[in-house]
């Protein structure tokens, strides 16, 4: 059996709100290997956890996150927004890895500065990067590993073999350590091509146990899920089955 994939807990882990301490703590308590969250930057260059730039304020109005300083933002919210620095402190204490899903290129420089200042370049990597963003990340954050989010338009418009080879070539050219792929697009031939190009394959966002088993059997390097408890249970089942098989053979 292939080594079981790394367990990546998606923000919103175990039904907790996205971008919350509760989600992070649930992932750490369960023993997930990686925690994933979305990263943006405030007007004063503070990396924070947020998916969208458009944000709802406590008075019911909406504004652009990027147009407010952290102090202005928190003064307008009912609950203070989580900063990346606070979350990275928890990640470091737990000895885990964080997947920084970059939602805007304007956050690259501030993220790079923060990660380097905290001495955590080996405990994070970037995702959310199309080819152009991955190339820019190589300039702004050369010390941080990055995944290439594959161009799914090419998989829709090209034969599968051509699309997967193009994705591998772009990943290498952009200096990425692997590809980040929606799990529905993964086939055994993609796994073979990725390995042949010296890349890793990370997949997102998986809900059903049968899909988790199938992807683990393919040999993907990481599975992202909002239900890491289910993925950890699948890992236990597969490892137990493998042990029983080995015992029977011996």
């Amino acid at each position: 059996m292939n080594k079981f994939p790394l367990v990546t807990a998606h923000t919103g882990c175990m039904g907790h709100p996205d971008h919350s301490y509760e989600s992070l703590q649930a992932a750490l308590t369960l023993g997930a290997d990686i925690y994933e969250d979305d990263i943006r930057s405030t007007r004063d260059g503070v990396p924070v956890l947020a998916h969208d730039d458009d944000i709802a304020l406590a008075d019911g109005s909406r504004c652009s996150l990027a147009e407010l300083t952290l102090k202005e933002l928190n003064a307008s919210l009912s609950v203070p927004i989580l900063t990346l620095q606070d979350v990275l402190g928890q990640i470091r204490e737990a000895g885990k890895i964080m997947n920084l899903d970059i939602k805007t290129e304007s956050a690259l420089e501030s993220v790079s500065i923060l990660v380097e200042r905290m001495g955590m370049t080996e405990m994070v990597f970037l995702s959310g990067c199309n080819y152009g963003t991955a190339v820019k990340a190589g300039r702004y954050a050369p010390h941080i590993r990055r995944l290439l989010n594959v161009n799914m338009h090419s998989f829709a418009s090209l034969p599968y073999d051509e699309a997967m080879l193009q994705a591998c070539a772009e990943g290498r050219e952009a200096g990425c350590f692997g590809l980040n792929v929606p799990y529905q697009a993964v086939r055994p031939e993609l796994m073979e091509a990725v390995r042949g190009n010296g890349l890793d394959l990370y997949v997102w966002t998986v809900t059903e146990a049968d899909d988790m088993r199938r992807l683990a059997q393919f040999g993907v390097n990481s599975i992202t899920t909002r239900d890491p408890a289910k993925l950890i249970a699948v890992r236990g089942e597969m490892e137990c089955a493998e042990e029983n098989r080995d015992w029977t053979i011996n």
Side-chain angles (χ1 to χ4, degrees):
M1 183 178 115
N2 294 308
K3 180 180 178 182
F4 196 84
L6 295 169
V7 175
T8 297
H10 190 288
T11 189
C13 171
M14 303 308 299
H16 293 290
D18 289 0
H19 326 305
S20 68
Y21 265 127
E22 292 82 1
S23 172
L24 171 65
Q25 291 304 316
L28 297 179
T29 299
L30 285 166
D33 302 299
I34 301 170
Y35 185 67
E36 179 272 347
D37 215 321
D38 307 311
I39 311 299
R40 288 186 172 272
S41 184
T42 61
R43 181 163 60 85
D44 52 340
V46 179
V48 295
L49 273 56
H51 186 278
D52 299 321
D53 179 62
D54 180 63
I55 191 166
L57 304 182
D59 63 3
S61 64
R62 306 190 73 86
C63 73
S64 164
L65 184 156
E67 293 179 356
L68 297 178
T69 65
L70 179 65
K71 184 177 180 180
E72 292 168 341
L73 185 60
N74 283 335
S76 303
L77 296 172
S78 54
V79 178
I81 196 166
L82 279 183
T83 68
L84 178 58
Q85 180 173 342
D86 289 339
V87 174
L88 286 180
Q90 298 285 317
I91 293 292
R92 179 166 55 191
E93 184 177 339
K96 300 297 183 179
I97 303 292
M98 189 165 180
N99 174 349
L100 309 179
D101 189 346
I102 301 296
K103 292 303 180 185
T104 172
E105 292 180 358
S106 63
L108 285 172
E109 187 171 7
S110 58
V111 166
S112 176
I113 292 169
L114 173 64
V115 169
E116 190 164 20
R117 176 163 56 81
M118 295 184 71
M120 294 185 66
T121 57
E122 300 301 317
M123 301 184 75
V124 304
F125 61 85
L126 307 180
S127 68
C129 302
N130 59 26
Y131 178 78
T133 303
V135 171
K136 289 180 181 178
R139 295 199 298 268
Y140 287 108
H143 50 285
I144 303 179
R145 297 184 307 148
R146 53 199 179 275
L147 288 172
L148 177 73
N149 275 39
V150 299
N151 179 2
M152 291 311 298
H153 294 296
S154 66
F155 279 85
S157 60
L158 297 174
Y160 189 87
D161 286 355
E162 290 183 28
M164 72 181 189
L165 292 176
Q166 177 178 303
C168 289
E170 290 180 349
R172 292 196 320 273
E173 291 168 7
C176 297
F177 76 91
L179 305 183
N180 202 31
V181 184
Y183 79 92
Q184 299 93 333
V186 177
R187 300 180 188 175
E189 52 265 44
L190 176 60
M191 189 72 248
E192 183 177 350
V194 166
R195 283 177 175 162
N197 281 275
L199 299 169
D200 288 350
L201 186 63
Y202 282 50
V203 301
W204 52 275
T205 300
V206 188
T207 302
E208 301 300 328
D210 285 345
D211 291 321
M212 295 172 180
R213 294 187 190 96
R214 175 176 58 85
L215 293 160
Q217 290 167 347
F218 285 172
V220 303
N221 298 91
S222 170
I223 294 174
T224 295
T225 178
R226 290 180 183 266
D227 190 350
K230 183 184 292 184
L231 181 54
I232 289 167
V234 167
R235 180 179 65 189
E237 293 168 6
M238 294 183 70
E239 289 176 348
C240 183
E242 182 70 10
E243 289 172 4
N244 289 337
R245 187 189 68 82
D246 291 344
W247 183 85
T248 302
I249 292 173
N250 293 331

